[in-house]
Amino acid sequence: MSIQQSFITLSDGNVIPQLGLGVWQATQEQAANAVSEAIKSGYRHVDTASVYENEDGVGIGIKQSGIAREEVFVTTKVWNPEQGFDKATAALDASLERLQLSYVDLLLIHWPAPKMDLYVDTWKALIAAKKQGKVRSIGVSNFNQEHLVRLIDETGVKPALNQIELHPFLQQNTLQQVHKKLVIETQAWSPLGQGKALSHPTIIAIAEKHGKSAAQVIIRWHLQQGRIVIPKSVTPSRIQENFDVFDFSLDLNDLEGIALMDECHRFGPDPLLFP
Ligand code: NAD
């Protein structure tokens, strides 16, 4: 099956499918079914984390789909209490075991957790894991400019991407500019604003204009602006709908309308204060 979709080449040379499936708050069983359904619909990218407690389910879903391991891009993350060189190394081994995989495509530090001040040591563990072949690419999540610069200054290794909260209500233009300057890709989490952006009149009007759904319009907005995006659903019809976004384009008026929706409003915690 040839699947229409788009890819981004990371600064380390590895290629990531631009649109993936998020599985936060999915049970093991829901994750297994959603991943298997997504792969059948054309997705080749899944985003999980040790704290989601569904890595076993993700591994089962990949196996159930029958896809070859190398055809699917799998991301997991090191949780806050797993930070530090030794703990992060052990956490990755445990994730691989739960996923039933010999490597993950991308490993992220889930939060900088600045009060713990362990993210540089944790980053060194990710660098070592990449050298050992347990991880193809390494990156971070919820980092701001000062955390990114410190990692690069102290290790000489830059994250392939930064996965941050980003949706029409929180457009993160300043941090995206920082990413551009540092050549770090932007990955959007809660890309639909946890579903809350779907009922906004601007989105509904654009959706009606293009004969697409509100979710498709927002996913298209992320893709067209060059971001990697991981909308979550465990409902087969929505999983399919969210992937059916490669046959239309938003125009300048649409993009200007969505730009006006930015309220700098977070649904998740402030990375400087968490945990
Ligand atoms: P999201 O913005 O993807 O919204 C998901 C919700 O939108 C679903 O629960 C569903 O209710 C609704 N939805 C999805 N598709 C729909 C459709 N077609 N029609 C109608 N409603 C639809 O929110 P999210 O799950 O918070 O974020 C996506 C993924 O990002 C997560 O699953 C996870 O993988 C990742 N994430 C990462 C972090 C981090 O700290 N790195 C934090 C939160 C989420």
Side-chain angles (χ1 to χ4, degrees):
M1 179 172 55
S2 111
I3 302 145
Q4 195 192 352
Q5 61 172 308
S6 52
F7 299 86
I8 286 189
T9 302
L10 302 169
S11 63
D12 62 11
N14 292 328
V15 173
I16 183 170
Q18 206 183 346
L19 173 56
L21 178 76
V23 294
W24 180 39
Q25 293 175 317
T27 64
Q28 299 278 16
E29 196 185 345
Q30 285 174 329
N33 292 333
V35 166
S36 165
E37 185 64 42
I39 290 171
K40 278 185 220 142
S41 307
Y43 291 71
R44 293 293 180 263
H45 170 183
V46 182
D47 181 89
T48 184
S50 60
V51 72
Y52 300 171
E53 296 184 347
N54 58 23
E55 290 173 307
D56 305 78
V58 168
I60 291 167
I62 293 169
K63 285 224 158 69
Q64 268 173 7
S65 76
I67 196 157
R69 164 67 187 97
E70 60 278 11
E71 295 285 313
V72 58
F73 190 104
V74 181
T75 301
T76 195
K77 314 186 189 87
V78 174
W79 186 231
N80 303 326
E82 299 168 339
Q83 284 214 35
F85 190 95
D86 292 340
K87 281 192 191 170
T89 305
L92 170 60
D93 289 341
S95 284
L96 290 173
E97 199 172 321
R98 288 190 290 268
L99 287 159
Q100 296 183 61
L101 298 176
S102 60
Y103 70 92
V104 283
D105 297 274
L106 177 64
L107 183 64
L108 306 179
I109 304 178
H110 207 144
W111 290 85
K115 282 181 253 166
M116 288 167 41
D117 197 19
L118 287 171
Y119 64 85
V120 176
D121 267 358
T122 308
W123 186 238
K124 289 177 182 165
L126 269 60
I127 294 168
K130 182 167 156 57
K131 284 194 184 128
Q132 290 165 2
K134 293 179 185 175
V135 185
R136 292 271 159 93
S137 293
I138 53 178
V140 295
S141 180
N142 300 302
F143 276 44
N144 67 19
Q145 178 170 8
E146 83 186 70
H147 309 132
L148 294 170
V149 168
R150 186 170 162 210
L151 279 193
I152 299 167
D153 282 353
E154 294 198 22
T155 68
V157 180
K158 79 169 130 192
L161 61 77
N162 188 14
Q163 183 183 116
I164 55 172
E165 181 178 350
L166 201 163
H167 42 73
F169 299 134
L170 179 72
Q171 300 192 13
Q172 301 262 30
N173 292 327
T174 308
L175 190 49
Q176 288 196 76
Q177 283 307 318
V178 169
H179 290 169
K180 272 215 174 74
K181 224 170 114 197
L182 296 173
V183 195
I184 292 172
E185 296 301 329
T186 302
Q187 184 172 40
W189 67 254
S190 292
L192 307 174
Q194 301 183 349
K196 296 176 190 83
L198 298 172
S199 51
H200 191 281
T202 299
I203 300 294
I204 290 175
I206 298 171
E208 280 171 3
K209 179 173 129 188
H210 290 279
K212 285 286 185 178
S213 73
Q216 288 169 330
V217 164
I218 298 177
I219 294 165
R220 186 71 217 167
W221 171 71
H222 287 286
L223 295 176
Q224 263 180 244
Q225 298 194 323
R227 291 185 287 275
I228 303 154
V229 60
I230 45 171
K232 182 239 175 170
S233 179
V234 294
T235 309
S237 58
R238 286 178 174 176
I239 290 173
Q240 288 163 24
E241 173 187 324
N242 293 352
F243 201 74
D244 183 14
V245 290
F246 295 100
D247 63 348
F248 78 112
S249 288
L250 302 180
D251 61 32
L252 268 182
N253 280 340
D254 303 333
L255 297 175
E256 280 168 14
I258 300 175
L260 294 175
M261 287 173 62
D262 194 2
E263 299 169 356
C264 300
H265 179 81
R266 285 181 190 280
F267 294 110
D270 182 334
L272 282 178
L273 306 176
F274 182 73

